[in-house]
């Protein structure tokens, strides 16, 4: 029960997420945020004004019933709260940790104006963790099988969310993953200290319990094409959730020196291949005592720079071409990075990498930028300042300036129409591609975006795949499709 | 898990592994490779598919034990299992009717060249194979090559088998005395491939090499396999592994392949010590 008046509630301050001390966490890979206690969660939930028009929900890409779940948290009904969230978000333990809440629910919250929005992300994470830690995750109830078979290509958030809903509809689902481990960016990109892999594994185990089949080491396009899946492999529909995995490089001299990594390579070596553990056979260049420069200002850049610190870098810097306000990374990551001692150098770009005779990186020539006119996206465009170049010592550089879609699958399916950026053309409302029976969602459609958008797209596609299998009609349906609870 | 059906040594530290992988066996084309992980803490390494049988559902890998992972693979015997084998990966070899083709294999490079040689033969080319090794026990697949080539010239550095000299010496002979050559395919150690490229360049003989940079995913996702060809950066795992030998920056490839030398050496020593402990 919430006995406080609205005015009293507005006086309360936002609870602080307990976290590992920066000095110690800089030396380990365990999670930085420790999670709310039940007491803190209730305290925070009680601050919620239970707005009659909850604008927070408008800010949530999948429209979680935020007021309902927060109300249940305030009453200590944590497992019920988890069930409410799961109606709209199948991966709350993950989203509670990685969503850019300040641009979504918390950014919209009326209390954001007072700089203390309800900690919706922390609460979401709390109830999901509570459910998992107390073994309250609902066992899958037996569902009548439809006998229809769907192939899901890619096991990132888009594929996992799509598979979940398809399994709930009673379809036989097989997920094909190119790598040897499941989870997409959640396992190869986002580090352990931000998203423990155990959480991803639990979600996948749940899907296995629901009868979803997983095939690793299956590079679709190489081992089977989409036509093979729909043809000789006998699938009735295919969902493509292969992400945007092709690393971009700045195209400057010296970028093939040893020590210039793409963020994908650097993070894959550390996360997927576990190069941070002593028993891993995957090498990584020595970072202890070295200067590491990470180029970019997104989550990927923050993950890379903080990983470098944890691997012993003497200095780890973020070098970004715009100013701090334009950095697309989650606020919390920037804050954590700063606490941990990351150096931020804004308004600079690399123009040349320099190496020694053995081909190892030794330095970088940087150029100062200034902000000019706003671009199409409304962010002020960085323009180089002539004659402003300078040299810095760098032993390892990580390039985190974005990814494009990997053309590997598209090349083997010429009838899947692509945009000039290499993303797949789809109908947004249904996830239909230009090829009958094939749906797509996530980063392969939007370009690098967010976990929640990928997950939402996976669910949208699952609903229209279900509709397609039920009716056999490929044209856009008139009635809205339903998402299972 | 991928079961090893048969295994035997072709040369010192070079092992033939026949692995059950029906799907890959059906889809693979000459020139393609797989990414293998030898243990749950293992790294991902590329190995060329040296042979395959679609009806029996196996692929053959030929593995030279140079580091821990390859040594580990070379301890496997029939009935053992490999945790991860992903593929087929990479662009298949370009198989056309060129006319007179010389296929050069150096050491285990012969195993990589073999399926392409067979396909070139089948496409109606005259195939001459030069297969080299330090000494006779390092020359592999001579009989197999014989079966798919019009002529086979083994070469050894010490003269213990066939032609006494380097594969490039033999190639120079053929260029000087044989019928005009339309294509050279050279697969082996980097210095050998570079020497072949240098030899054929002035004669304007189209020359293809198969590059072996360090890889991680093998699907174009990491860029670790970057090579420069004609001044442009390419990802060997998806754009290659075969490239125009005359345009490849071999210096860069050589340097990049040395990136982790210390680590690799350390891992190998640790592993050998542990192995010695087990066998005592
Ligand atoms: C380092 C990093 C940090 C990030 N941090 C955040 C964050 O904090 N918050 C946030 O919201 N978003 C974050 N993002 C973005 C977010 O991770 C992505 O938007 C999201 O994962 C996209 O999901 P997806 O399912 O579309 O693709 P992915 O997660 O990329 O998954 C695609 C999967 O498909 C597989 N695949 C590719 N090709 C094939 C093929 N041919 N056959 C079979 N399988 C294939 C891939 O191996 C991969 O496993 C981050 C991204 C990165 C790289
Ligand atoms: S907008 Fe903020 S205060 Fe209002 S209901 Fe949503 S979380 Fe609660
Ligand atoms: S091995 Fe990763 S892109 Fe080629």
């Amino acid at each position: 029960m919430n006995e406080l008046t609205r005015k009293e509630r507005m006086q309360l301050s936002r609870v602080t997420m307990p976290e590992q001390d920066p000095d110690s966490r800089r030396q380990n890979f365990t999670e930085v945020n420790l999670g709310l206690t039940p007491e803190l969660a209730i305290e925070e939930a009680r601050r919620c004004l239970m707005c009659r028009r909850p604008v927070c929900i408008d800010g949530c890409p999948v429209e979680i019933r935020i007021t309902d779940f927060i109300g249940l948290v305030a009453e200590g009904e944590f497992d019920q709260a988890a069930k409410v969230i799961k109606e709209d978000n199948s991966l709350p333990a993950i989203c509670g940790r990685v969503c850019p809440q300040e641009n979504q629910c918390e950014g919209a919250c009326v209390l954001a104006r007072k700089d203390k929005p309800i900690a919706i992300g922390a609460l979401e994470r709390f109830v999901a963790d509570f459910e998992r830690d107390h073994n309250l995750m609902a066992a899958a109830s037996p569902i009548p099988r439809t006998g229809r078979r769907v192939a899901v290509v890619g096991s990132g958030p888009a594929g996992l969310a799509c598979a979940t809903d398809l399994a709930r509809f009673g379809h036989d689902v097989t997920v094909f993953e190119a790598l040897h481990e499941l989870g997409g960016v959640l396992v190869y990109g986002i580090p352990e200290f931000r998203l423990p892999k155990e959480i991803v594994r639990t979600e996948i185990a749940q899907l296995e319990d629901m009868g979803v089949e997983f095939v690793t080491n299956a590079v679709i396009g190489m081992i089977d094409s989409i036509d093979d899946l729909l043809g000789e492999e006998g699938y009735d529909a295919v969902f493509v959730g292969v992400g945007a995995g092709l690393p971009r490089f700045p195209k400057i001299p010296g970028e093939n020196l040893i020590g210039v990594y793409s963020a994908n390579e650097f993070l894959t070596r550390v996360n997927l291949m576990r190069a941070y553990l002593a028993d891993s056979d995957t090498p990584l260049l020595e970072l202890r005592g070295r200067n590491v420069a990470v180029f970019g200002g997104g989550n990927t850049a923050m993950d890379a720079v903080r990983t470098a610190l944890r691997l012993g870098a003497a200095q780890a810097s973020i070098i970004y071409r715009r100013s701090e306000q334009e950095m697309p990374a989650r606020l919390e990551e920037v804050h954590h990075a700063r606490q941990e001692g990351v150096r931020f150098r804004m308004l600079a770009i690399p123009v040349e990498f320099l190496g020694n005779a053995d081909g190892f990186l030794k330095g970088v020539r940087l150029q100062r930028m200034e902000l000019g006119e706003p671009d199409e996206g409304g962010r002020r465009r960085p323009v180089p300042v002539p004659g402003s170049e300078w040299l810095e010592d760098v032993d390892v550089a990580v390039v985190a300036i974005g990814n494009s879609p990997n053309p590997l699958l598209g090349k083997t399916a010429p009838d899947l129409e692509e945009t000039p950026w290499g993303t797949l053309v789809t109908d947004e409302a249904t996830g239909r591609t230009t090829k009958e029976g094939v749906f797509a969602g996530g980063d392969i459609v939007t370009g690098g975006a967010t976990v929640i958008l990928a997950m939402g797209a996976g669910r949208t596609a699952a609903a229209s795949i279900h509709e397609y299998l039920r009716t056999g009609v490929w044209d856009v349906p008139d009635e809205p499709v339903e998402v299972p609870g | 898990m991928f079961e090893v059906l048969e295994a035997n040594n072709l040369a010192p530290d070079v092992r033939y592994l026949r692995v059950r992988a029906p799907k890959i066996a059906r889809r693979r084309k000459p020139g393609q490779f797989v990414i293998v992980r030898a243990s749950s803490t293992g790294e991902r390494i590329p190995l060329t598919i040296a042979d395959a049988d679609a009806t029996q559902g196996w692929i053959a890998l030929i593995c030279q034990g140079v580091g821990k992972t390859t040594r580990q693979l070379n301890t496997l015997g029939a009935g053992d299992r490999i945790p991860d084998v992903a593929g087929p990966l990479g662009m298949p070899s370009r198989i056309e009717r060129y006319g007179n083709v010389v296929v050069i294999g150096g050491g285990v490079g012969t195993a990589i060249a073999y399926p392409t040689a067979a396909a070139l033969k089948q496409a109606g080319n005259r195939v001459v194979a030069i297969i080299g090794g330090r000494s006779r026990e390092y020359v592999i697949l001579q009989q197999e090559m014989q079966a798919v080539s019009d002529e086979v010239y083994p070469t050894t550095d010490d003269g213990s088998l066939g032609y006494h000299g380097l594969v490039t010496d033999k190639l120079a002979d053929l260029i000087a005395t044989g019928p005009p050559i339309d294509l050279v395919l050279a697969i082996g150690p980097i210095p050998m491939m570079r020497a072949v490229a240098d030899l054929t360049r002035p004669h304007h003989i189209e020359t293809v090499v198969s590059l072996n940079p360090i890889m991680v995913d093998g699907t174009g996702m990491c860029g670790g396999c970057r090579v420069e060809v004609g001044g442009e950066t390419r990802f060997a795992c998806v754009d290659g592994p075969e490239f125009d030998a005359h345009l490849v920056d071999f210096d860069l490839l050589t340097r990049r392949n040395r990136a982790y030398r210390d680590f690799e050496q350390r891992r190998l020593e640790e592993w050998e010590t542990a192995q010695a402990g087990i066998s005592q």
Side-chain angles (χ1 to χ4, degrees):
Chain A
M1 285 300 113
N2 210 336
E3 309 88 353
L4 300 173
T5 66
R6 187 181 166 89
K7 201 156 172 201
E8 282 168 335
R9 277 178 274 165
M10 284 177 69
Q11 301 306 315
L12 301 172
S13 45
R14 176 171 158 122
V15 300
T16 333
M17 167 70 80
E19 60 187 31
Q20 271 197 76
D21 169 71
D23 280 336
S24 53
R25 75 185 191 229
R26 215 171 45 198
Q27 333 240 4
N28 66 50
F29 273 82
T30 42
E31 199 179 3
V32 169
N33 286 340
L34 302 172
L36 300 179
T37 59
E39 295 72 33
L40 283 175
I42 292 175
E43 186 185 327
E44 182 64 6
R46 286 197 172 166
R47 270 200 325 121
C48 175
L49 305 178
M50 294 291 152
C51 303
R52 218 168 318 134
R53 221 187 71 68
V55 282
C56 51
I57 299 182
D58 302 339
C60 173
V62 299
E63 297 179 18
I64 291 176
R65 284 157 43 211
I66 293 171
T67 39
D68 290 358
F69 104 75
I70 291 185
L72 287 162
V73 175
E75 288 166 22
E77 303 282 353
F78 305 138
D79 53 331
Q80 289 309 312
K83 294 202 169 52
V84 169
I85 297 180
K86 283 201 165 166
E87 284 172 25
D88 298 298
N89 180 342
S90 35
L91 305 168
I94 294 167
C95 292
R97 287 174 165 83
V98 304
C99 268
Q101 285 93 4
E102 69 272 16
N103 304 330
Q104 302 180 1
C105 53
E106 294 183 22
C109 172
V110 292
L111 295 171
R113 265 174 275 157
K114 292 198 169 302
D115 263 348
K116 45 182 191 180
I118 302 295
I120 305 172
L123 290 173
E124 178 184 29
R125 171 195 155 134
F126 167 77
V127 295
D129 285 358
F130 184 90
E131 189 193 36
R132 192 183 62 250
D133 295 344
H134 293 80
N135 293 317
L136 300 169
M137 284 166 96
S141 44
I143 302 147
R145 312 307 308 167
T146 63
R148 309 306 295 276
R149 304 177 65 224
V150 185
V152 170
V153 185
S155 67
L160 293 179
C162 186
T164 307
D165 282 4
L166 288 169
R168 286 193 191 143
F169 286 125
H171 303 305
D172 292 338
V173 186
T174 310
V175 180
F176 295 95
E177 168 55 50
L179 296 171
H180 60 268
E181 229 179 278
L182 302 164
V185 170
L186 306 178
V187 300
Y188 79 69
I190 303 182
E192 183 75 17
F193 58 81
R194 201 149 73 80
L195 176 65
K197 302 303 154 243
E198 194 49 41
I199 292 172
V200 184
R201 279 195 287 270
T202 311
E203 296 294 345
I204 288 162
Q206 276 234 311
L207 278 180
E208 280 173 335
D209 287 347
M210 289 169 73
V212 173
E213 224 189 290
F214 289 94
V215 185
T216 50
N217 298 316
V219 186
I220 301 303
M222 300 305 286
I223 192 153
D224 272 325
S225 65
I226 289 181
D227 282 329
D228 293 329
L229 293 174
L230 290 170
E232 62 183 84
E233 297 297 323
Y235 289 97
D236 300 300
V238 174
F239 174 76
V240 179
V242 293
L246 183 77
R248 280 189 217 134
F249 285 92
K251 296 204 186 310
I252 57 174
E255 69 184 17
N256 293 331
L257 287 164
I258 303 164
V260 181
Y261 283 115
S262 74
N264 276 3
E265 180 179 1
F266 181 74
L267 291 170
T268 298
R269 284 180 179 275
V270 179
N271 299 327
L272 180 74
M273 306 312 296
R274 303 197 172 63
Y276 70 97
L277 298 177
D279 66 353
S280 170
D281 288 338
T282 299
L284 188 76
L285 293 173
E286 182 60 74
L287 299 189
R288 269 175 295 180
R290 302 289 170 90
N291 282 338
V292 180
V294 176
F295 297 92
N299 288 319
T300 309
M302 297 305 143
D303 285 346
V305 79
R306 295 172 67 202
T307 297
L309 271 183
R310 282 161 174 75
L311 292 170
Q315 186 171 71
S317 316
I318 284 284
I319 300 176
Y320 182 53
R321 65 198 176 114
R322 304 186 195 237
S323 72
E324 191 163 334
Q325 283 153 318
E326 285 88 17
M327 284 204 304
R330 296 177 76 225
L331 269 183
E332 188 181 31
E333 309 314 327
V334 178
H335 170 68
H336 280 161
R338 185 159 278 132
Q339 279 182 330
E340 289 165 12
V342 168
R343 189 179 76 138
F344 285 78
R345 187 178 276 292
M346 295 296 112
L347 291 164
I349 56 159
V351 289
E352 183 181 5
F353 290 113
L354 304 148
N356 66 12
D358 294 328
F360 282 82
L361 179 69
K362 281 293 152 219
V364 60
R365 190 185 303 284
L366 296 167
Q367 182 170 40
R368 202 178 314 288
M369 309 292 279
E370 61 189 14
L371 291 180
E373 295 299 304
D375 60 15
E376 318 81 59
R379 293 194 302 179
R380 292 178 63 194
R381 193 195 304 273
V383 283
V385 178
S388 66
E389 294 184 9
W390 79 101
L391 262 174
E392 272 193 28
D393 289 345
V394 174
D395 304 293
V396 170
V398 181
V399 177
I401 58 172
N403 289 333
S404 311
N406 189 331
L408 184 113
L409 181 66
K411 268 196 220 156
T412 65
D415 40 357
L416 278 183
E417 198 183 312
E418 291 177 2
T419 67
W421 300 274
T423 51
L424 292 183
V425 172
T426 59
D427 167 41
E428 205 183 322
T430 61
R432 285 174 162 79
T433 64
T434 52
K435 183 176 169 72
E436 174 157 359
V438 182
F439 301 74
D443 282 3
I444 183 62
V445 172
T446 54
T450 60
V451 170
I452 190 69
L453 287 175
M455 204 204 78
R459 300 197 78 202
T460 303
S464 52
I465 290 171
H466 180 55
E467 190 66 14
Y468 168 66
L469 294 180
R470 211 168 52 77
T471 61
V473 181
W474 179 248
D475 304 318
V476 182
D478 291 334
E479 349 149 25
V481 287
E482 246 176 65
V483 171
Chain B
M1 284 287 192
F2 295 76
E3 193 189 347
V4 176
L5 301 171
E6 193 189 313
N8 54 275
N9 278 15
L10 298 181
D13 283 333
V14 176
R15 200 158 170 84
Y16 172 97
L17 295 161
R18 183 176 282 187
V19 180
R20 215 186 112 70
K23 205 54 172 291
I24 303 175
R26 243 187 319 140
R27 299 285 187 226
R28 72 95 209 188
K29 296 201 175 76
Q32 290 186 303
F33 64 94
V34 288
I35 290 270
V36 172
R37 215 166 62 109
S39 78
S40 60
T41 52
E43 57 179 333
R44 293 169 63 99
I45 61 157
L47 291 173
T48 303
I49 305 170
D51 199 1
D53 188 315
T55 43
Q56 294 178 21
W58 55 259
I59 59 171
L61 305 175
I62 291 175
C63 181
Q64 181 169 32
V66 286
K68 174 182 171 185
T69 304
T70 44
R71 292 279 173 91
Q72 217 172 9
L73 283 169
N74 284 0
T75 63
L76 298 179
D80 289 334
R81 277 154 204 280
I82 304 175
D84 298 291
V85 178
L89 299 170
M91 300 280 285
S93 306
R94 218 173 80 201
I95 304 299
E96 274 173 34
R97 195 161 167 174
Y98 297 89
N100 190 24
V101 176
V102 176
V103 174
I104 304 174
V108 283
T110 303
I112 304 172
Y114 166 70
T116 305
L120 286 167
K121 179 68 195 164
Q122 196 155 28
N125 292 286
R126 175 170 181 271
V127 175
V128 177
I130 307 173
I131 55 176
R134 253 186 291 159
S135 58
R136 69 178 307 138
E137 63 268 34
Y138 290 96
V139 176
I140 60 170
L141 300 187
Q142 191 179 343
Q143 276 172 11
E144 286 81 352
M145 273 298 192
Q146 216 104 48
V148 300
S149 312
D150 296 82
E151 291 165 20
V152 177
Y153 299 101
T155 70
T156 48
D157 300 0
D158 63 0
S160 54
L161 177 74
Y163 183 94
H164 186 170
L166 302 172
V167 290
T168 36
D169 299 333
K170 183 67 210 172
L171 177 63
D173 266 10
L174 291 181
I175 292 173
T177 61
I181 300 169
D182 301 297
L183 176 78
V184 171
L185 170 71
I187 307 179
I190 297 172
M192 182 210 97
M193 294 194 287
R194 184 211 301 266
V196 170
D198 289 343
L199 181 60
T200 57
R201 189 178 287 111
H203 299 280
H204 305 289
I205 301 172
E206 185 177 344
T207 303
V208 172
V209 286
S210 177
L211 304 185
N212 60 336
I214 296 170
M215 294 189 185
V216 184
D217 59 298
T219 66
M221 181 269 266
C222 76
C225 62
R226 308 204 289 293
V227 293
E228 277 179 34
V229 183
E232 270 183 50
T233 297
R234 313 292 298 274
F235 288 6
C237 69
V238 283
D239 301 327
E242 290 179 8
F243 292 100
D244 180 341
H246 297 151
L247 299 179
V248 168
D249 185 337
F250 287 107
D251 283 336
L252 179 74
L253 179 64
T254 308
R255 287 195 302 263
R256 285 184 65 89
N257 276 1
R258 287 197 198 124
Y260 304 109
R261 224 168 19 168
D262 295 348
F263 177 92
E264 286 159 359
Q265 191 56 36
R266 211 162 54 235
R267 267 293 185 275
L268 180 61
E269 282 161 15
E270 284 163 11
W271 184 76
E272 280 176 336
T273 313
Q275 287 298 103
I278 292 167
S279 62
Q280 263 165 25

